[in-house]
Amino acid sequence: MVIPSTFFGIASLVILVIPGVVFAGTRSWLRGYRASDQEVSSRILDAVVISVILDILYLWFIGPALVSFFRDPRDSLVQHPGVVGFLLLLTCVIIPGAIATGWHAEIIWKRPRSARLPAWVRIPRRQTAYESTPTAWDKKAPRQTDSWIKVRLPDGKIVAGWISGDSFFSTYPHSRDVYIQEQFAVDAAGAIGDKVPNTGGVWLSIPDGSIVEWLREPPAEETS
């Protein structure tokens, strides 16, 4: 991809790509990612197509102002920087974001939490399918504290221990691993037994195919 070096080229790239990028980003934030969003080429094509459609509408409604700007963009920017900035904000951010919001937003009416308001009062809230956390591991694993953890590796070996404030989970973009602050023995049946003598913790990589369990109740050996 050739990066434009002239002011006209940069301005053309902004107008041809940015509105579509803002529209697609707002749509994903509201509705979640589609299958086609996983491919970079598909996302770029989608942004260009949306930008072209919006640019046609811009030429229809504010064509004279855009033509005047592109006739001498440097002079327009020097003489009217505020107007140029507002037009760029309006055409590249506000309008595509507003269209995506109006098209894809799902509003639900819920009762407010305040007990002071009457029971019939409802306020609008945005319902979204968007989830910024990449995996369930990233979402839940770091929050699992003060509990037992048992990891069954793909080769059948089981590692278990107690996780609390001194334990640590790695998350995206790094590979999955965990530091268990206290390691406990595991018998052939998979039951957690006594603490490993002189344990100072254990680091464990979590490869694909592993099964990770968090147990809230201590095993019988620890409660007796």
Side-chain angles (χ1 to χ4, degrees), residues 38-95:
Q38 304 299 322
E39 300 180 2
V40 176
S41 59
S42 177
R43 296 174 65 179
I44 294 176
L45 179 61
D46 194 15
V48 171
V49 170
I50 295 172
S51 295
V52 169
I53 295 174
L54 290 176
D55 291 339
I56 293 174
L57 295 176
Y58 296 157
L59 287 174
W60 188 0
F61 289 102
I62 56 174
L66 293 177
V67 171
S68 176
F69 170 74
F70 279 102
R71 184 182 293 116
D72 191 353
R74 293 182 181 272
D75 183 67
S76 299
L77 184 59
V78 171
Q79 294 188 10
H80 309 286
V83 175
V84 173
F86 174 74
L87 284 177
L88 289 175
L89 179 65
L90 182 66
T91 57
C92 294
V93 179
I94 296 178
I95 291 179

Side-chain angles (χ1 to χ4, degrees), residues 163-215:
I163 55 174
S164 189
D166 291 333
S167 299
F168 183 80
F169 295 89
S170 64
T171 56
Y172 179 85
H174 304 289
S175 58
R176 298 183 301 268
D177 65 5
V178 57
Y179 169 73
I180 304 172
Q181 65 188 60
E182 293 181 341
Q183 184 180 6
F184 281 69
V186 183
D187 62 20
I192 300 176
D194 297 329
K195 182 187 296 186
V196 173
N198 302 320
T199 178
V202 58
W203 172 89
L204 185 64
S205 177
I206 311 294
D208 293 340
S210 302
I211 299 177
V212 182
E213 298 180 71
W214 285 275
L215 307 173

